[in-house]
Amino acid sequence: MKLAFIGLGVMGFPMAGHLAKAGHQVTVYNRTQAKAQDWAKQHGGSHAATPADAAKDAEIVFMCVGNDDDVRQVLNGTTGAFAGMSAGALLVDHTTASAELARELDRDAKAKGLGFLDAPVSGGQAGAETGKLTVMVGGDAASFARAEPVMAHYGRAVTHMGEAGNGQLTKMVNQILIAGLVQGLSEGLNFAVKAGLDARKAAEVISKGAAQSWQLENRYQTMLDGKFDYGFAVDWMRKDLSICLAEARRNKSALPVTALVDQFYERIQERGGGRWDTSSLLHLLAKP
Ligand code: NAP
């Protein structure tokens, strides 16, 4: 298929790479052109000077940028992706953004004769590189059926969650779970150290029981080493939690732990840890 991919960051670069490796004809756009050139050199596809040029003639336009405003910037205006897309084409947004934005884009796309899916991902840089992302998708069933086999090149679990916005709502659930989990893990590991236990041994035995989690298995060693300069950045997490908290105000669900953990992440940012991994919550407990 003729595809476009906009936004070659930590996630987009390898995701677009999987599409090219699968034999699709991929044109990429990145705001910082050097990254697009690198990508084309590595994967043999082509790169365009604007989102509109990348989107021209593409059957599906994928994007993975930062936040709601970034999505609007690359889509709208004379050089935006919408300007280049032809009727019948499909837009798939992998950015973690608000459900409101997804519904707005769904309306805008339909008015232009285009399809739209909100399709945020989970699995981090490693998942993007190994092609094992979880993809949570909102939008109409026909658009999902069209895009699902393509997203399968980088998604291990690609699931249709219902109407536009539902992909983003599912990703919010994911982030709410992670916030509470990582705080619990930080408190547990800090307690183990202060109690004089061999914290690594404690983490290993616990990971075989009911407190097992992805965060425990993949993060306890680096957390105990005080290494946080990798992974999913606290700045991104705060963006995501602010989306969750705003949605919770609308749907009147209570997120007391999430709100508290969001404040803890703010403290991490004040320590200069905006680019640290989300597991850095332990830093606040170990070095108050
Ligand atoms: P990143 O490495 O910072 O890359 C962001 C990409 O978006 C870059 O290509 C950047 O272009 C582009 N961009 C940002 N704002 C733009 C704008 N206004 N106009 C044009 N291009 C713009 O971010 P990432 O880690 O790939 O994350 C991308 C999205 O995936 C975010 O919504 C994030 O929350 C979500 N996500 C990330 C992870 C993760 O582990 N990293 C996991 C799950 C979900 P430049 O190169 O020019 O800056």
Side-chain angles (χ1 to χ4, degrees), residues 227-248:
K227 284 190 189 144
F228 304 114
D229 55 343
Y230 63 91
F232 185 61
V234 166
D235 288 343
W236 278 144
M237 187 60 165
R238 288 217 69 215
K239 182 250 311 178
D240 294 358
L241 294 182
S242 90
I243 292 171
C244 298
L245 293 166
E247 190 65 39

Side-chain angles (χ1 to χ4, degrees), residues 60-64 85 90-95 115-119 137 143 147 151 154:
I60 308 181
V61 175
F62 295 91
M63 55 190 291
C64 188
M85 292 175 75
L90 174 61
L91 174 68
V92 178
D93 185 16
H94 286 304
T95 310
F116 172 75
L117 296 171
D118 52 300
V137 190
S143 297
M151 294 189 282
Y154 44 74

